[in-house]
Amino acid sequence: EDKVVQSPLSLVVHEGDTVTLNCSYEVTNFRSLLWYKQEKKAPTFLFMLTSSGIEKKSGRLSSILDKKELFSILNITATQTGDSAIYLCAVLGLAYSGAGSYQLTFGKGTKLSVIP
Amino acid sequence: NAGVTQTPKFRILKIGQSMTLQCTQDMNHNYMYWYRQDPGMGLKLIYYSVGAGITDKGEVPNGYNVSRSTTEDFPLRLELAAPSQTSVYFCASSYGGRANYGYTFGSGTRLTVV
């Protein structure tokens, strides 16, 4: 059965700090790793990573994947209060025995709180 | 540009009642999914569909049923509600199963069974 483990589970920082969120995984037939940001409602898509060592960047957020060590990190620089959210890591693979197609397995998320 | 629309947003059910959570998307996505999210937990897949007329069980299908008569709609049915089904339910869709552009999620339905 596929597993996705995120750490830390929660984090409190001050505005302006830089944070690193971690995601490790064990997946059958790995296809890609995705990061989502979840505020009060639906998760919104941030990045999809398929290749090791290639950084994806969007403004103050960046992410990289290491397929050899089976982990990914999400960095947020110069944090703002608007970055407060739950960050979900999900891996696309054959999630469980009997799965008919590739599925996303989600981690429990990291709850980030940015205080002024 | 509606994306994925879920109704209702909130619902309280009594044990043993039934209800249908509605989900519709206007992006012509062929894949659709139902997830549940419990407090402090990640999303778990209930059912999914790879196209109209085709559905399959996910990781936690017990107590639920789905149908996919059209590309746009993917309702989730709870036949005999139980307290263990208290959760937030998300519908999602994607173009293809490889999530090349991520999944698009609906805004969720918060269900409480008492």
Side-chain angles (χ1 to χ4, degrees):
Chain A
E1 186 175 309
D2 292 358
K3 293 179 183 178
V4 178
V5 178
Q6 292 186 245
S7 63
L9 292 180
S10 66
L11 190 57
V12 180
V13 300
H14 288 94
E15 266 192 319
D17 287 350
T18 293
V19 298
T20 298
L21 310 183
N22 304 297
C23 176
S24 64
Y25 62 89
E26 297 175 22
V27 171
T28 302
N29 288 313
F30 173 89
R31 286 292 180 180
S32 58
L33 184 145
L34 292 85
W35 284 97
Y36 287 87
K37 178 181 181 181
Q38 185 178 25
E39 295 176 88
K40 292 183 179 177
K41 292 188 175 179
T44 54
F45 175 73
L46 293 175
F47 299 111
M48 186 179 76
L49 303 156
T50 54
S51 301
S52 280
I54 299 175
E55 185 182 55
K56 291 272 181 107
K57 198 170 172 63
S58 176
R60 296 176 294 102
L61 277 66
S62 64
S63 183
I64 198 162
L65 173 68
D66 185 328
K67 289 168 73 172
K68 183 179 178 183
E69 299 297 330
L70 307 183
F71 79 89
S72 174
I73 59 172
L74 175 68
N75 279 321
I76 308 175
T77 59
T79 52
Q80 302 171 358
T81 55
D83 295 327
S84 296
I86 296 173
Y87 290 83
L88 296 169
C89 174
V91 176
L92 189 69
L94 288 175
Y96 50 90
S97 62
S101 69
Y102 289 93
Q103 301 296 339
L104 281 182
T105 299
F106 284 83
K108 294 182 179 181
T110 294
K111 183 177 180 181
L112 175 65
S113 301
V114 182
I115 54 179
Chain B
N1 202 14
V4 178
T5 302
Q6 287 183 239
T7 58
K9 294 189 186 306
F10 306 95
R11 184 73 186 267
I12 299 174
L13 280 183
K14 293 185 178 178
I15 294 171
Q17 286 186 320
S18 63
M19 77 164 293
T20 299
L21 282 67
Q22 301 291 345
C23 176
T24 187
Q25 52 93 9
D26 62 358
M27 298 170 287
N28 203 32
H29 284 172
N30 50 345
Y31 280 64
M32 294 187 75
Y33 314 84
W34 274 106
Y35 287 90
R36 59 177 286 172
Q37 185 177 33
D38 299 323
M41 304 293 287
L43 283 76
K44 292 192 178 293
L45 182 65
I46 305 171
Y47 270 95
Y48 68 98
S49 168
V50 303
I54 305 169
T55 63
D56 208 347
K57 295 178 181 179
E59 188 181 358
V60 290
N62 291 342
Y64 307 95
N65 277 299
V66 293
S67 60
R68 184 95 181 270
S69 57
T70 66
T71 299
E72 294 78 20
D73 300 306
F74 190 42
L76 177 72
R77 178 97 180 144
L78 283 71
E79 291 293 350
L80 290 170
S84 61
Q85 293 178 305
T86 295
S87 189
V88 180
Y89 291 84
F90 289 101
C91 178
S93 70
S94 67
Y95 187 74
R98 298 198 177 180
N100 287 336
Y101 303 100
Y103 288 12
T104 301
F105 283 85
S107 57
T109 295
R110 183 175 294 276
L111 175 67
T112 303
V113 182
V114 296

